[in-house]
Amino acid sequence: MTRRRPASSVGRRGERVAARALRRCGYSIVAKNLHVAVGEADIVCIAPDRRTLVIVEVKTRVGRQGERERRPESQVGARKQAKLRRVAEAVRRSMRATDRPIRIDVIAVTLTKRHWPRPPRARVRHIERAVGWSERRR
């Protein structure tokens, strides 16, 4: 019998791994799990250029060794992208950052099962501009 891990603990771990990877790459974390009227932004940060506001959606999976990998980012379909655009616009307004460029990235984190629940060895893929954004939407 296999025990399932609560999705929330996997997601939280993935968000911590993603935040650490962003900081290593020069991003400044502004907020985590920021709730706005239309949804939630997993991570809000400022890009290394110190100007661009980046909304980051984190997708995490726990994979087994040797198992054909299902990529976490495949869960960001058309509906989720539309919602992320609405969330990004709401975050932009709430932070009064309408003068900043904005983009929506996805960070895909794959934790290997043999490392669970110890500190994870994770594969992290940062997909910049994963969700199209038009500045004309403002």
Side-chain angles (χ1 to χ4, degrees):
M1 180 157 127
T2 57
R3 281 186 10 192
R4 292 191 57 159
R5 290 164 292 287
S8 61
S9 67
V10 172
R12 279 194 307 270
R13 181 158 298 177
E15 288 175 8
R16 284 194 305 267
V17 168
R20 197 173 15 229
L22 286 166
R23 282 190 205 99
R24 271 192 233 118
C25 291
Y27 289 78
S28 300
I29 306 295
V30 175
K32 293 180 186 176
N33 301 314
L34 179 65
H35 292 271
V36 291
V38 294
E40 177 188 26
D42 291 336
I43 300 174
V44 179
C45 55
I46 304 296
D49 68 5
R50 299 287 171 235
R51 177 136 176 78
T52 306
L53 183 67
V54 183
I55 308 302
V56 180
E57 175 69 13
V58 180
K59 290 296 182 184
T60 309
R61 289 230 191 265
V62 177
R64 295 186 176 114
Q65 289 294 97
E67 179 181 54
R68 186 168 175 208
E69 183 180 328
R70 289 185 344 202
R71 292 186 167 249
E73 63 270 27
S74 67
Q75 296 302 304
V76 183
R79 266 189 170 161
K80 183 65 174 183
Q81 289 180 28
K83 183 168 185 167
L84 286 169
R85 287 185 196 101
R86 291 191 304 272
V87 167
E89 190 56 46
V91 168
R92 177 187 245 180
R93 281 192 308 270
S94 74
M95 296 182 81
R96 301 176 200 267
T98 55
D99 60 330
R100 288 180 176 265
I102 188 169
R103 73 174 198 242
I104 304 169
D105 294 358
V106 171
I107 293 189
V109 179
T110 304
L111 305 172
T112 58
K113 186 174 182 173
R114 72 184 179 123
H115 293 104
W116 187 272
R118 287 181 242 126
R121 296 233 173 131
R123 273 179 292 195
V124 178
R125 286 181 302 287
H126 184 175
I127 302 119
E128 292 185 9
R129 294 173 191 79
V131 177
W133 179 268
S134 170
E135 290 295 320
R136 289 175 275 145
R137 286 202 170 112
R138 294 200 279 168

